[in-house]
């Protein structure tokens, strides 16, 4: 069997689940005709990227059934209140979101698989049950790498199409017990180690605000489905920026939690058992209030009694009356592109006007050293396990996978080499903590998520603004700020790059028009286990 045969099997999973969804949640004749005429980001094969609309979200809002759109366009936290009051049923909400997901999947190619039968069963049960459940009836989307009973988990690798699991991930069970309804599994890229979303299991997922740009990765399908408004909330994972970049690129909220706050030890990926740099999970959604509630709901249910790797830390709102917030304008290695530089100034100015905030400058500390350490520890086997997944299926290695695997610090390590790099990691963490305290000991730091807005496909080569915090294990809360403005965000001319990567990033931003309509977001970063504080910073900025 060739890799093309395997890719066809993967797309059949989508097609068959879509067919079943349309049977259980049918569109009326008018909506079905509109769906069939939509410009598609799904091609005839995974090598064909279709012909997506220039601004998919505009088409989505224009062509979606108005009755469904009235439900899905509502803030999910407000919709939750309607569900609990009985103003709308769980089946009605699920139907609306399935319709939205069907349209979104064609417009941006964000769904690996629909879960119509399981979702309908849960929704019907909820309609007959306890409306006081904290997440009662809210449709939940799941990154494909998260185990779901009866479904194969490939994490973008064709060789795992037969790896069907007989259990749900711990966090999935927790959320179901809290009233959430998993209804779709979203796309993720080959190897998971890219800030884009392209694989031979689905093709390419595009950005709902500008289809010429990437939706981010590796939780790219989640970013796109949340950004377009076709799920109430979702779950992603993050080892180098995989929650934060898709959240930023799609204009939503996303939290990279501290290691040990949320269950994720039963997720799938390459290099299972890697301990030097741990992946974490976190919520992604359009609603900051809902994100806060999801974090509280999970921790209120004592997940540390299910997953022994977790800390017994409940979710508690910060009590400080005044917050000290630093601004990291530049990491000293790669300069932010004009839209991000403008967003930093906007937020700094906004914070400086608040009586309950003290703004302090924050300088970077050896971020180049951080990249050296983390890329040495990402692939302790030199990338052999990741390569083997492609060799087993015969699938070609995509450019972004090749880029990260052939980095100058990626080398197979003997045990002693792993020990030495972990010693460097611990040393750097201590130095950075001392540096943080020397910068005025801020409660949080506002920093870029990426040098620019969503980038063009196969150009997301600089992870420094996110991977930095993975090495330190600092939580990061992404929040939307603005959108690219052609009048305000013209490229910088006559720029003198500091290094090869800085030059590459600078050249990618060829014109503001190329990035038109793209969301621009930033990230609030805090010391370990200050997750509640970084969420609070986003709340302060949301209130304006």
């Amino acid at each position: 069997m060739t890799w093309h045969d395997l890719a066809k099997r993967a797309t059949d999973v989508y097609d068959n689940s879509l067919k079943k969804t349309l049977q259980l949640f049918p569109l009326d004749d008018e909506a079905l005709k509109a769906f069939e005429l939509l410009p598609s980001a799904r091609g005839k094969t995974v090598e064909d990227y279709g012909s997506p609309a220039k601004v998919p979200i505009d088409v989505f809002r224009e062509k979606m059934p108005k009755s469904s759109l009235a439900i899905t366009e509502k803030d999910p936290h407000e919709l939750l209140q309607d569900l609990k009051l009985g103003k709308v049923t769980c089946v009605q909400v699920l139907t609306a979101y399935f319709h939205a997901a069907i349209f979104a999947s064609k417009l941006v190619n964000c769904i690996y698989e629909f879960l119509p039968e399981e979702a309908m069963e849960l929704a019907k049960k909820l309609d007959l049950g306890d409306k006081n459940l904290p997440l009662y009836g809210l449709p939940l989307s799941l990154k494909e790498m998260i185990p779901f009973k009866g479904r194969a988990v490939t994490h973008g690798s064709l060789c795992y199409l037969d790896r069907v699991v007989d259990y749900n991930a711990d966090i999935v069970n927790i959320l179901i017990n809290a009233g959430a309804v998993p209804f779709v599994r979203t796309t993720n890229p080959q190897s998971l180690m890219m800030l884009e979303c392209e694989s031979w299991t689905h093709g390419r997922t595009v950005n709902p605000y500008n289809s010429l740009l990437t939706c981010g990765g590796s939780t790219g399908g989640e970013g796109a489905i949340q950004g377009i408004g076709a799920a109430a909330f979702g779950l992603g994972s993050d080892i180098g920026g995989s929650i934060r970049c898709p959240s930023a690129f799609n204009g939503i909220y996303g939290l990279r939690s501290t290691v040990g706050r949320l269950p994720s030890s039963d997720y799938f990926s390459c290099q299972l058992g890697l301990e030097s740099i741990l992946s974490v999970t976190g919520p992604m959604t359009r609603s900051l209030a809902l994100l806060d509630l999801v974090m509280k709901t999970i921790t209120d249910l004592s997940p540390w009694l299910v997953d022994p790797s977790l800390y017994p830390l409940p979710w508690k709102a910060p009590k400080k009356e005044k917050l000290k917030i630093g601004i990291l304008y530049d990491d000293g290695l790669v300069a932010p592109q004009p839209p991000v530089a403008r967003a930093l100034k906007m937020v700094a100015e906004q914070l400086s006007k608040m009586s309950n905030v003290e703004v302090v400058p924050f300088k970077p500390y050896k971020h180049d050293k951080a990249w050296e350490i983390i890329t040495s520890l990402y692939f302790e086997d030199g990338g052999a396990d990741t390569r083997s997944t492609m060799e087993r299926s015969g699938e070609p290695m995509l450019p972004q996978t090749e880029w990260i695997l052939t980095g100058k610090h990626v080398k197979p390590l003997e045990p002693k080499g792993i020990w030495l790099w972990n010693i460097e990691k611990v040393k750097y963490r201590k130095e950075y903590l001392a540096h943080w305290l020397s910068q005025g000991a801020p409660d949080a730091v506002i920093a870029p998520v990426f040098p620019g807005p969503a980038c063009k496909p196969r150009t997301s080569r600089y992870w420094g603004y996110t991977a930095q915090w993975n090495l330190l294990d600092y939580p990061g809360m992404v929040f939307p700020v603005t959108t690219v403005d052609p009048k305000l965000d013209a490229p910088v001319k006559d720029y003198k790059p500091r290094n090869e990567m800085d030059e590459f990033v600078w050249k990618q931003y060829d014109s503001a028009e190329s990035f038109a309509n793209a969301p621009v977001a930033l990230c609030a970063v805090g010391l370990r286990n200050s997750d509640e504080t970084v969420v609070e910073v986003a709340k302060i900025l949301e209130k304006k």
Side-chain angles (χ1 to χ4, degrees):
M1 185 176 286
T2 69
W3 77 265
H4 289 95
D5 295 325
L6 293 172
K8 178 63 169 57
R9 278 187 58 195
T11 56
D12 283 347
V13 169
Y14 170 86
D15 291 334
N16 293 334
S17 71
L18 173 61
K19 182 179 179 181
K20 190 67 178 179
T21 302
L22 287 168
Q23 290 171 352
L24 288 177
F25 302 89
L27 295 165
D28 63 30
D29 291 344
E30 183 181 353
L32 184 60
K33 184 178 180 180
F35 169 70
E36 290 172 345
L37 294 174
L38 290 176
S40 180
R42 294 184 65 88
K44 294 180 180 179
T45 71
V46 294
E47 295 174 279
D48 171 12
Y49 298 138
S51 299
K54 185 176 181 180
V55 185
I57 193 169
D58 286 350
V59 179
F60 175 82
R61 289 170 175 165
E62 179 187 350
K63 300 297 184 180
M64 259 278 288
K66 296 298 181 271
S67 58
S68 295
L69 200 64
I71 291 174
T72 61
E73 285 291 285
K74 195 159 198 171
D75 180 288
H77 191 262
E78 294 178 15
L79 179 62
L80 176 61
Q81 315 316 312
D82 288 349
L83 278 159
K84 290 188 172 187
L85 291 171
K87 293 182 178 180
V88 64
T89 69
C90 297
V91 170
Q92 286 173 329
V93 168
L94 181 62
T95 300
Y97 268 102
F98 262 125
H99 291 170
I102 289 167
F103 274 66
S105 68
K106 189 171 184 180
L107 287 166
V108 296
N109 192 15
C110 57
I111 292 174
Y112 176 78
E113 181 178 20
F114 297 89
L115 305 170
E117 293 168 304
E118 297 94 332
M120 178 65 95
E121 183 181 349
L122 276 173
K124 285 182 175 180
K125 184 178 178 181
L126 285 166
D127 276 332
L128 298 173
D130 182 7
K131 287 184 170 63
N132 292 318
L133 293 171
L135 301 174
Y136 178 73
L138 286 181
L140 163 67
S141 50
L142 298 169
K143 187 178 185 179
E144 189 267 357
M145 67 176 285
I146 300 173
F148 192 84
K149 187 175 182 179
R151 306 289 170 151
V153 183
T154 73
H155 58 72
S157 301
L158 291 172
C159 67
Y160 290 126
L161 284 169
D162 292 321
R163 186 170 61 185
V164 177
V165 297
D166 60 359
Y167 65 93
N168 289 333
D170 291 333
I171 198 168
V172 173
N173 284 331
I174 288 169
L175 291 170
I176 289 174
N177 290 335
V181 181
F183 79 119
V184 294
R185 303 174 69 213
T186 52
T187 53
N188 41 217
Q190 181 186 67
S191 83
L192 297 176
M193 296 298 285
M194 68 170 83
L195 298 181
E196 301 185 25
C197 195
E198 182 180 355
S199 86
W200 303 121
T201 64
H202 75 279
R204 175 183 291 159
T205 307
V206 300
N207 192 294
Y209 289 89
N210 182 332
S211 64
L212 297 177
L213 306 177
T214 178
C215 64
S218 64
T219 319
E222 275 303 314
I225 197 171
Q226 299 298 333
I228 205 169
F233 75 107
L235 286 179
S237 66
D238 191 313
I239 197 171
S242 289
I243 287 173
R244 289 159 293 165
C245 274
S247 296
F249 289 1
N250 295 280
I252 62 171
Y253 295 98
L255 176 65
R256 184 266 175 206
S257 59
T258 305
V259 170
R261 293 302 297 266
L262 298 180
S264 62
S265 58
D266 52 5
Y267 289 12
F268 279 98
S269 68
C270 293
Q271 303 179 111
L272 281 176
L274 176 77
E275 291 286 321
S276 295
I277 306 295
L278 293 173
S279 176
V280 297
T281 196
M284 300 166 66
T285 175
R286 292 165 284 153
S287 171
L288 182 54
L290 181 57
L291 183 145
D292 192 24
L293 177 62
V294 169
M295 290 300 297
K296 185 177 187 304
T297 296
I298 296 170
T299 53
D300 279 353
L301 294 172
S302 303
W304 45 86
L305 298 180
V306 177
D307 184 344
S309 71
L310 305 185
Y311 305 121
L313 289 176
W315 189 256
K316 294 183 178 180
K319 295 181 179 179
K320 293 187 71 171
E321 293 185 4
K322 188 168 186 175
L323 291 175
K324 187 182 292 186
I325 300 177
I327 310 289
L328 178 68
Y329 288 100
D330 189 318
D331 69 356
L333 302 174
V334 171
Q337 293 170 351
V340 173
R342 179 169 62 87
L344 286 162
K345 292 177 182 176
M346 288 173 61
V347 169
E349 183 178 344
Q350 184 179 333
L351 290 171
S352 66
K353 295 177 181 178
M354 297 180 181
S355 59
N356 60 337
V357 173
E358 178 187 354
V359 178
V360 296
F362 190 91
K363 297 179 181 179
Y365 177 79
K366 297 183 179 179
H367 284 218
D368 53 343
K369 180 65 175 178
W371 182 247
E372 179 185 4
I373 296 169
I374 199 167
T375 50
S376 297
L377 289 172
Y378 272 146
F379 303 100
E380 295 172 342
D381 64 350
D385 186 58
T386 301
R387 287 189 174 89
S388 73
T389 65
M390 286 166 268
E391 291 167 358
R392 287 163 63 184
S393 66
E395 66 184 271
M397 186 184 295
L398 287 163
Q400 292 306 101
T401 307
E402 183 177 7
W403 175 79
I404 190 66
L405 288 180
T406 55
K408 65 179 181 179
H409 302 303
V410 178
K411 300 171 184 176
L413 301 173
E414 296 295 328
K416 190 172 182 179
I418 297 172
W419 300 343
L420 290 172
W421 278 115
N422 273 291
I423 289 170
E424 288 296 308
K425 176 184 72 178
V426 172
K427 180 182 176 183
Y428 184 80
R429 285 179 170 182
K430 291 190 71 173
E431 290 177 359
Y432 208 93
L433 175 58
H435 171 73
W436 184 285
L437 298 176
S438 75
Q439 299 293 293
D443 297 294
V445 168
I446 304 296
V449 180
F450 191 74
C455 60
K456 298 172 185 177
R458 299 181 175 179
T459 67
S460 58
R461 295 187 180 180
Y462 189 65
W463 302 14
Y465 282 108
T466 46
Q468 172 73 26
W469 313 119
N470 291 91
L471 180 67
L472 296 168
D473 188 25
Y474 288 2
M477 176 70 217
V478 172
F479 55 92
V481 178
T482 184
T483 57
V484 173
D485 186 329
K487 294 180 180 178
L488 299 176
D489 299 323
V492 177
K493 296 181 179 179
D494 302 322
Y495 179 70
K496 295 182 180 179
R498 310 160 187 176
N499 52 60
E500 186 178 344
M501 182 59 75
D502 193 34
E503 182 176 16
F504 175 82
V505 169
W506 169 60
K507 286 182 176 179
Q508 292 308 308
Y509 192 75
D510 52 358
S511 72
E513 288 74 18
S514 297
F515 300 85
N517 214 41
V520 182
L522 297 174
C523 191
V525 180
L527 297 178
R528 294 184 72 244
N529 293 314
S530 66
D531 303 47
E532 295 92 335
T533 299
V534 296
V535 172
E536 185 66 21
V537 171
K539 287 182 181 180
I540 291 171
L541 288 163
E542 182 186 41
K543 292 174 184 175
K544 298 181 181 180

